[in-house]
Amino acid sequence: MESYHFSGLTITLDKEGSREFSKVSFPVRYGRFSEIKTPGAIFQFNPNGEVKYVQGIGQGWPHPAEWLKRTAGNDWIYYSAGGYKGIYDYFGEYYFPCLSYPSNSVIDEDPLSDPSVICAKKSLQELRTKIDKLILRPVPETLKDFLTGVMRNDEETLRRRADQLHRFIGGRVTVLPPDTRHVDYEVIPVIVADGCLYHCGFCRVKTGQDFTPRGAGDIVRQIKDLKRYYGKDLHNYNAIFLGQHDALSAGQELLELAAQKAYELFEFEHSYLKGASLFLFGSIDSIIHSEEKLFESLDRLPFSTYINVGLESNDPATLEWLKKPVSVEQVREAFLRISGINKRYEKIEVTANFVFGKDLPASHLSSLLELIGERPNLSSNKGAVYLSPLMEEGVRDKEDKRELLKSFLRLKTQSRFPTFIYLIQRL
Ligand code: SF4
C-alpha cells in the first residue's frame, strides 16, 4: 500500500479491504481498491480505475457511516443505515440499498436526491480536472498508471462499459435473487437460459420470452468475454449468478458446465475473497421435477449454492389473482421438496419467495402462515422465506408502506423460517 499527498488530495494505492462478506453495522469495503481522499469526499476505485464507492465528508452528508456504490451495471446505489431502526429485521442486513431506478422498495427514503449526495457524485468531475493536472507532473509509475485509469474511466466510458457487459450476456439482468445480498450483490452474471415457464400476469421483471436454454458454446463464450471484461477487478469477485429467471430448468449438464468453467476461468481459487458462491433461480416445476442427481452434482461443486424459487402464494384465490398458472398443490409439493433439499445438502440452500401486498385476497396471509408457521418438523435456519412487496397496487404513500412493514413484522414473528423482505435489484 503506497500513499501520496498533494495539496487537497491524499491518494492511497492498493488498499486491502475485507476478504469475507460480513453483516456488520459499520462501513466495510471488500477486495482490493485504491482511494482518493479530498476535503469533501472519499472516492474508491476498483483495480481497473473505475469508481466504485463515494462517501461524503462533513456535515452536509446524510450520515457519516453511509455511502454510494456504483454497480457493474452502472447504477448508483445509496447504502442507508435507516437510522439503524429495524433494517436488519426487515432485510437481514444492516444497510438498506436505496436504488436509483423504480423497484419494489417499501422504505420511504430518497437520499439520492439529497443535494449533498448529488454534489458528491458531481465532484467526481472536479476530481478529474485536478488529476488531469497532476498527471503531467513527474510522479511514480504506479501512481501514474492509477491516475491514467481514473482519467480513462469517465462517465461516458463507464456507461459504455455497462452496455458492453449487457451485450456480452445478451441483455440486462432485470432481477437478482434475494440471496445475492450475502455477497453484497457482487456477482458476475452468466446466462444459461432466457425466458421463463409461466409468464405470470403480476410479474414486472419477466422478459416475455419462452424458456430457452443457451448452448454450451454461448455459455463458454460469455465466460471468456466476462473474464476479459472484468480484467484486473476479477480477483475481487468470488460469486456468480446463473441467469436468468429459471436456470435450474436448464438441467444438470449446462449448470455443471457453467459453474465449473466460471470457477476455473474466473480463477476463484485465487480470488482475493474467501469461498465461492453460486446463485440461481428455480421455478416450481424445476424444483419439483429436477432429479436428485442434479442437486448431488451442485452439492459437489466448489461453491455454496443458493437457489431461489418464486412460490408466490399458498392460496388458490391469490394464485388466480396473480395470474400465475400453477396449482396450490404444486406450490405445496415444491415447498416440501425445498425443505427436503435444505435438510439433505449441506452446501445448498433453497429459498422461497411469496408476494406481499395490501390488495391481495385476505386468504393469502392466513394460508401462507399455514405453510411457514408452526410446523414442528420443518423448523430450520436454512431455507429463508422472502416476501416481495407488490408495488403496483398503489402502495405508494408513507402510511401504506408503514402498514405493510408492520404486517411483515407480525408475520415474521410467526414464521418458523428466517423471513425477510425482498428488494428487487437489477444488474
Ligand atoms: S414470476 Fe418468474 S415465472 Fe412468473 S413471469 Fe416472472 S419471471 Fe416468469
Side-chain angles (χ1 to χ4, degrees), residues 196 198-200 202-203 206 245 312 324:
C196 65
Y198 307 131
H199 308 300
C200 317
F202 78 98
C203 176
K206 63 180 174 245
H245 305 302
E312 320 310 353
K324 181 151 186 123

Side-chain angles (χ1 to χ4, degrees), residues 16 117 136 184 211-212 249 368 372 417:
E16 294 182 11
V117 176
L136 298 174
D184 196 25
F211 178 79
T212 319
S249 273
L368 179 56
I372 66 171
F417 298 87

Side-chain angles (χ1 to χ4, degrees), residues 108-126:
D108 217 25
E109 267 192 53
D110 185 19
L112 285 153
S113 57
D114 185 296
S116 67
V117 176
I118 294 171
C119 181
K121 265 171 69 186
K122 279 196 182 148
S123 63
L124 253 172
Q125 196 44 48
E126 288 160 34

